[in-house]
Amino acid sequence: MKNIIVATGGRSLEGSIEVHGAKNAALPIIAATILATGECHLEGVPLLQDVVTMSNVIRSIGLGVEANGRELVIVPTPTVNPEVPSELMRKLRASNLVMGPLLGRYHYFRVPYPGGCAIGSRPMNIHLKGLAAMGAEITEKQGFIEAKTKGLRGTDIYLDFPSVGATENLMMAAVLADGVTNLHNAAREPEIIDLQNFLNNIGACISGAGEGTIVIEGVKELDGTSYKIIPDRIEAATFLAAAVGTGGDILIKSCLPQHFLSVLAKFKEMGAKISIYKDGIRVKGPQRLKAVDCKTLPYPGFPTDVQPQLMALMTVAEGTSVLVESIFENRFKHVAELRRLGADIKVEGQIAVVNGVRSLSGSNVEASDLRAGAALVIAGLMAEGETIIEGINHIDRGYEQIEKSFQKLGAQIERKIKN
Ligand code: UD1
């Protein structure tokens, strides 16, 4: 028995919806609680499988985690087991975010090598090079990464690429280091700013997140705090894409539009009408979308996590769109599935050329990863007839009951159990 989503296209999305807390902000902040000596109360935590897995990771290390709906209470522990079990690392690559805080506070970690995933090989070299520069002795053998230090030292680190995870790990490692760490060419994503704010709330001294260089002045000890996670910009962009693609008109409340202006600009270029309010946004899709070109880039460029959803829109836009994926080497798995719905897409390496067709028609498709799954749901809502989407476990990692959100907006969509 497995869960499937059945979407019937043809309805324009209407109404209003609130977005949940950001998965990619919650995961590093949960890892960062390893550094805290007081209790941490996290609010606005999304109810997602990835959050459950990250909670289990820090539980396995020895912290107490209690979940009350969208609030997580994390109780510190004086002694830890600084190792992550392989099955948890396999379930969630972002489990590697415990490396920085474990090394910073306990001077040791041993974690299974995370390995590749559906969208790319995803090496750890930038994380490890940065930790080594701060004084960690790292050994990689038999599929494990082990690191120890007599105490990390602040230094200047130049990231070869503004990796989100490496920036987060190095920030967390540096907060208790001796002296000042300057992280150059750091990732600038809003989730990095959220991590900085959380860490400063528990007593860290960090500035510059959201800009190219992050400055971390080492402190002696960190406390606890209450903290609310920022809204999920990728979830907001996914709802907006569905509205734009179905010629709908929706209002998204409790989101921060300044976090996804590059996405809004692209939707506007495709013909959408956009009104931005202080904590919300209204989007109206056109009769027929216009083709656009786009290249994914580190923030504030167009996010790779919205690339599949954008491609779903391009499939029915008037004209030819060119989409370049520059962040991950293997993030076009949704192409074959979109073709099953009638899309005309050619791929050459990391470039996709999408010739817009008049309409898609429903079929059976399978999600290969989280955002590919979101793109297939959007395509299903745009297509004529019924689309059956399998591989829903991927979608559930990053969207809280996606079908419920779309039902709220008037879509004909259901989750069913298939034998
Ligand atoms: C985070 C997000 C993910 C998003 C990605 C890019 C979380 C939990 N996940 O993933 O949703 O798609 O940012 O915006 O926040 N790289 C290296 N060496 C390294 C580290 C990264 O070569 O040491 C490469 C990766 O293989 C990839 C690129 O850098 O090609 C970007 O990866 P990175 O920014 O690190 O992504 P994640 O933090 O894993």
PDB file of all heavy atoms in Angstrom, residues 25-47:
ATOM      1  N   ALA A  25      15.257  26.588   7.453  1.00  0.00           N
ATOM      2  CA  ALA A  25      15.714  27.392   8.593  1.00  0.00           C
ATOM      3  C   ALA A  25      15.625  26.539   9.856  1.00  0.00           C
ATOM      4  O   ALA A  25      16.511  26.580  10.721  1.00  0.00           O
ATOM      5  CB  ALA A  25      14.860  28.645   8.743  1.00  0.00           C
ATOM      6  N   ALA A  26      14.555  25.734   9.954  1.00  0.00           N
ATOM      7  CA  ALA A  26      14.362  24.927  11.165  1.00  0.00           C
ATOM      8  C   ALA A  26      15.485  23.899  11.348  1.00  0.00           C
ATOM      9  O   ALA A  26      15.995  23.721  12.461  1.00  0.00           O
ATOM     10  CB  ALA A  26      13.007  24.217  11.105  1.00  0.00           C
ATOM     11  N   LEU A  27      15.908  23.250  10.256  1.00  0.00           N
ATOM     12  CA  LEU A  27      16.885  22.156  10.400  1.00  0.00           C
ATOM     13  C   LEU A  27      18.221  22.633  10.997  1.00  0.00           C
ATOM     14  O   LEU A  27      18.695  22.057  11.980  1.00  0.00           O
ATOM     15  CB  LEU A  27      17.108  21.432   9.063  1.00  0.00           C
ATOM     16  CG  LEU A  27      15.857  20.725   8.482  1.00  0.00           C
ATOM     17  CD1 LEU A  27      16.185  20.086   7.136  1.00  0.00           C
ATOM     18  CD2 LEU A  27      15.315  19.674   9.441  1.00  0.00           C
ATOM     19  N   PRO A  28      18.847  23.698  10.447  1.00  0.00           N
ATOM     20  CA  PRO A  28      20.100  24.144  11.082  1.00  0.00           C
ATOM     21  C   PRO A  28      19.894  24.680  12.499  1.00  0.00           C
ATOM     22  O   PRO A  28      20.775  24.526  13.353  1.00  0.00           O
ATOM     23  CB  PRO A  28      20.617  25.250  10.146  1.00  0.00           C
ATOM     24  CG  PRO A  28      19.506  25.578   9.231  1.00  0.00           C
ATOM     25  CD  PRO A  28      18.583  24.400   9.195  1.00  0.00           C
ATOM     26  N   ILE A  29      18.756  25.306  12.756  1.00  0.00           N
ATOM     27  CA  ILE A  29      18.530  25.859  14.101  1.00  0.00           C
ATOM     28  C   ILE A  29      18.368  24.718  15.118  1.00  0.00           C
ATOM     29  O   ILE A  29      18.882  24.787  16.234  1.00  0.00           O
ATOM     30  CB  ILE A  29      17.335  26.849  14.096  1.00  0.00           C
ATOM     31  CG1 ILE A  29      17.758  28.120  13.350  1.00  0.00           C
ATOM     32  CG2 ILE A  29      16.882  27.172  15.514  1.00  0.00           C
ATOM     33  CD1 ILE A  29      16.669  29.157  13.148  1.00  0.00           C
ATOM     34  N   ILE A  30      17.713  23.640  14.706  1.00  0.00           N
ATOM     35  CA  ILE A  30      17.612  22.482  15.617  1.00  0.00           C
ATOM     36  C   ILE A  30      19.031  21.956  15.905  1.00  0.00           C
ATOM     37  O   ILE A  30      19.381  21.662  17.044  1.00  0.00           O
ATOM     38  CB  ILE A  30      16.701  21.384  15.025  1.00  0.00           C
ATOM     39  CG1 ILE A  30      15.257  21.899  14.919  1.00  0.00           C
ATOM     40  CG2 ILE A  30      16.757  20.114  15.878  1.00  0.00           C
ATOM     41  CD1 ILE A  30      14.312  20.982  14.153  1.00  0.00           C
ATOM     42  N   ALA A  31      19.860  21.877  14.848  1.00  0.00           N
ATOM     43  CA  ALA A  31      21.247  21.415  15.053  1.00  0.00           C
ATOM     44  C   ALA A  31      21.996  22.381  15.976  1.00  0.00           C
ATOM     45  O   ALA A  31      22.786  21.962  16.829  1.00  0.00           O
ATOM     46  CB  ALA A  31      21.962  21.306  13.707  1.00  0.00           C
ATOM     47  N   ALA A  32      21.722  23.676  15.838  1.00  0.00           N
ATOM     48  CA  ALA A  32      22.443  24.695  16.626  1.00  0.00           C
ATOM     49  C   ALA A  32      22.118  24.610  18.113  1.00  0.00           C
ATOM     50  O   ALA A  32      22.892  25.100  18.946  1.00  0.00           O
ATOM     51  CB  ALA A  32      22.105  26.091  16.094  1.00  0.00           C
ATOM     52  N   THR A  33      20.985  23.986  18.462  1.00  0.00           N
ATOM     53  CA  THR A  33      20.646  23.903  19.897  1.00  0.00           C
ATOM     54  C   THR A  33      21.652  23.038  20.654  1.00  0.00           C
ATOM     55  O   THR A  33      21.712  23.084  21.872  1.00  0.00           O
ATOM     56  CB  THR A  33      19.216  23.354  20.125  1.00  0.00           C
ATOM     57  OG1 THR A  33      19.132  22.027  19.592  1.00  0.00           O
ATOM     58  CG2 THR A  33      18.158  24.240  19.498  1.00  0.00           C
ATOM     59  N   ILE A  34      22.447  22.254  19.923  1.00  0.00           N
ATOM     60  CA  ILE A  34      23.529  21.465  20.565  1.00  0.00           C
ATOM     61  C   ILE A  34      24.483  22.407  21.319  1.00  0.00           C
ATOM     62  O   ILE A  34      25.088  22.038  22.316  1.00  0.00           O
ATOM     63  CB  ILE A  34      24.306  20.665  19.487  1.00  0.00           C
ATOM     64  CG1 ILE A  34      23.414  19.580  18.885  1.00  0.00           C
ATOM     65  CG2 ILE A  34      25.598  20.064  20.045  1.00  0.00           C
ATOM     66  CD1 ILE A  34      24.034  18.871  17.675  1.00  0.00           C
ATOM     67  N   LEU A  35      24.585  23.642  20.833  1.00  0.00           N
ATOM     68  CA  LEU A  35      25.506  24.611  21.440  1.00  0.00           C
ATOM     69  C   LEU A  35      24.956  25.240  22.724  1.00  0.00           C
ATOM     70  O   LEU A  35      25.708  25.817  23.510  1.00  0.00           O
ATOM     71  CB  LEU A  35      25.786  25.744  20.437  1.00  0.00           C
ATOM     72  CG  LEU A  35      26.589  25.366  19.187  1.00  0.00           C
ATOM     73  CD1 LEU A  35      26.399  26.422  18.102  1.00  0.00           C
ATOM     74  CD2 LEU A  35      28.062  25.206  19.549  1.00  0.00           C
ATOM     75  N   ALA A  36      23.641  25.159  22.917  1.00  0.00           N
ATOM     76  CA  ALA A  36      22.996  25.910  23.994  1.00  0.00           C
ATOM     77  C   ALA A  36      23.157  25.199  25.340  1.00  0.00           C
ATOM     78  O   ALA A  36      23.077  23.977  25.414  1.00  0.00           O
ATOM     79  CB  ALA A  36      21.513  26.090  23.672  1.00  0.00           C
ATOM     80  N   THR A  37      23.364  26.005  26.397  1.00  0.00           N
ATOM     81  CA  THR A  37      23.419  25.385  27.729  1.00  0.00           C
ATOM     82  C   THR A  37      22.081  25.541  28.445  1.00  0.00           C
ATOM     83  O   THR A  37      21.863  24.966  29.503  1.00  0.00           O
ATOM     84  CB  THR A  37      24.529  26.023  28.603  1.00  0.00           C
ATOM     85  OG1 THR A  37      24.340  27.427  28.544  1.00  0.00           O
ATOM     86  CG2 THR A  37      25.906  25.662  28.107  1.00  0.00           C
ATOM     87  N   GLY A  38      21.169  26.336  27.868  1.00  0.00           N
ATOM     88  CA  GLY A  38      19.826  26.486  28.442  1.00  0.00           C
ATOM     89  C   GLY A  38      18.789  25.862  27.516  1.00  0.00           C
ATOM     90  O   GLY A  38      19.113  25.448  26.397  1.00  0.00           O
ATOM     91  N   GLU A  39      17.533  25.835  28.000  1.00  0.00           N
ATOM     92  CA  GLU A  39      16.454  25.265  27.175  1.00  0.00           C
ATOM     93  C   GLU A  39      16.148  26.148  25.968  1.00  0.00           C
ATOM     94  O   GLU A  39      16.179  27.380  26.070  1.00  0.00           O
ATOM     95  CB  GLU A  39      15.176  25.205  28.022  1.00  0.00           C
ATOM     96  CG  GLU A  39      14.823  23.795  28.408  1.00  0.00           C
ATOM     97  CD  GLU A  39      13.535  23.738  29.224  1.00  0.00           C
ATOM     98  OE1 GLU A  39      12.538  24.427  28.884  1.00  0.00           O
ATOM     99  OE2 GLU A  39      13.552  22.995  30.206  1.00  0.00           O
ATOM    100  N   CYS A  40      15.836  25.555  24.849  1.00  0.00           N
ATOM    101  CA  CYS A  40      15.442  26.333  23.668  1.00  0.00           C
ATOM    102  C   CYS A  40      14.006  25.991  23.298  1.00  0.00           C
ATOM    103  O   CYS A  40      13.655  24.806  23.216  1.00  0.00           O
ATOM    104  CB  CYS A  40      16.346  26.014  22.479  1.00  0.00           C
ATOM    105  SG  CYS A  40      18.030  26.597  22.722  1.00  0.00           S
ATOM    106  N   HIS A  41      13.193  27.028  23.103  1.00  0.00           N
ATOM    107  CA  HIS A  41      11.810  26.836  22.668  1.00  0.00           C
ATOM    108  C   HIS A  41      11.718  27.359  21.239  1.00  0.00           C
ATOM    109  O   HIS A  41      11.879  28.553  21.012  1.00  0.00           O
ATOM    110  CB  HIS A  41      10.844  27.621  23.561  1.00  0.00           C
ATOM    111  CG  HIS A  41      10.802  27.105  24.961  1.00  0.00           C
ATOM    112  ND1 HIS A  41       9.670  26.579  25.530  1.00  0.00           N
ATOM    113  CD2 HIS A  41      11.779  27.000  25.902  1.00  0.00           C
ATOM    114  CE1 HIS A  41       9.952  26.180  26.765  1.00  0.00           C
ATOM    115  NE2 HIS A  41      11.221  26.434  27.014  1.00  0.00           N
ATOM    116  N   LEU A  42      11.508  26.477  20.300  1.00  0.00           N
ATOM    117  CA  LEU A  42      11.405  26.897  18.900  1.00  0.00           C
ATOM    118  C   LEU A  42       9.942  26.899  18.489  1.00  0.00           C
ATOM    119  O   LEU A  42       9.238  25.900  18.674  1.00  0.00           O
ATOM    120  CB  LEU A  42      12.204  25.947  17.993  1.00  0.00           C
ATOM    121  CG  LEU A  42      13.677  25.764  18.341  1.00  0.00           C
ATOM    122  CD1 LEU A  42      14.353  24.819  17.352  1.00  0.00           C
ATOM    123  CD2 LEU A  42      14.412  27.109  18.364  1.00  0.00           C
ATOM    124  N   GLU A  43       9.505  28.027  17.950  1.00  0.00           N
ATOM    125  CA  GLU A  43       8.105  28.133  17.502  1.00  0.00           C
ATOM    126  C   GLU A  43       8.037  28.178  15.989  1.00  0.00           C
ATOM    127  O   GLU A  43       9.007  28.555  15.333  1.00  0.00           O
ATOM    128  CB  GLU A  43       7.478  29.431  18.031  1.00  0.00           C
ATOM    129  CG  GLU A  43       7.310  29.467  19.521  1.00  0.00           C
ATOM    130  CD  GLU A  43       7.088  30.901  19.980  1.00  0.00           C
ATOM    131  OE1 GLU A  43       6.329  31.629  19.303  1.00  0.00           O
ATOM    132  OE2 GLU A  43       7.699  31.275  20.998  1.00  0.00           O
ATOM    133  N   GLY A  44       6.862  27.835  15.467  1.00  0.00           N
ATOM    134  CA  GLY A  44       6.669  27.894  14.017  1.00  0.00           C
ATOM    135  C   GLY A  44       7.459  26.812  13.302  1.00  0.00           C
ATOM    136  O   GLY A  44       7.849  26.970  12.137  1.00  0.00           O
ATOM    137  N   VAL A  45       7.684  25.695  13.986  1.00  0.00           N
ATOM    138  CA  VAL A  45       8.444  24.599  13.366  1.00  0.00           C
ATOM    139  C   VAL A  45       7.472  23.793  12.486  1.00  0.00           C
ATOM    140  O   VAL A  45       6.429  23.361  12.962  1.00  0.00           O
ATOM    141  CB  VAL A  45       9.052  23.682  14.461  1.00  0.00           C
ATOM    142  CG1 VAL A  45       9.817  22.536  13.832  1.00  0.00           C
ATOM    143  CG2 VAL A  45       9.942  24.495  15.392  1.00  0.00           C
ATOM    144  N   PRO A  46       7.795  23.605  11.210  1.00  0.00           N
ATOM    145  CA  PRO A  46       6.845  22.894  10.349  1.00  0.00           C
ATOM    146  C   PRO A  46       6.742  21.407  10.721  1.00  0.00           C
ATOM    147  O   PRO A  46       7.719  20.815  11.171  1.00  0.00           O
ATOM    148  CB  PRO A  46       7.451  23.062   8.945  1.00  0.00           C
ATOM    149  CG  PRO A  46       8.899  23.295   9.173  1.00  0.00           C
ATOM    150  CD  PRO A  46       9.014  24.010  10.485  1.00  0.00           C
ATOM    151  N   LEU A  47       5.550  20.843  10.538  1.00  0.00           N
ATOM    152  CA  LEU A  47       5.333  19.433  10.893  1.00  0.00           C
ATOM    153  C   LEU A  47       5.728  18.573   9.694  1.00  0.00           C
ATOM    154  O   LEU A  47       4.903  18.231   8.856  1.00  0.00           O
ATOM    155  CB  LEU A  47       3.852  19.201  11.252  1.00  0.00           C
ATOM    156  CG  LEU A  47       3.314  20.059  12.393  1.00  0.00           C
ATOM    157  CD1 LEU A  47       1.811  19.895  12.540  1.00  0.00           C
ATOM    158  CD2 LEU A  47       4.014  19.691  13.691  1.00  0.00           C
TER     159      LEU A  47
END
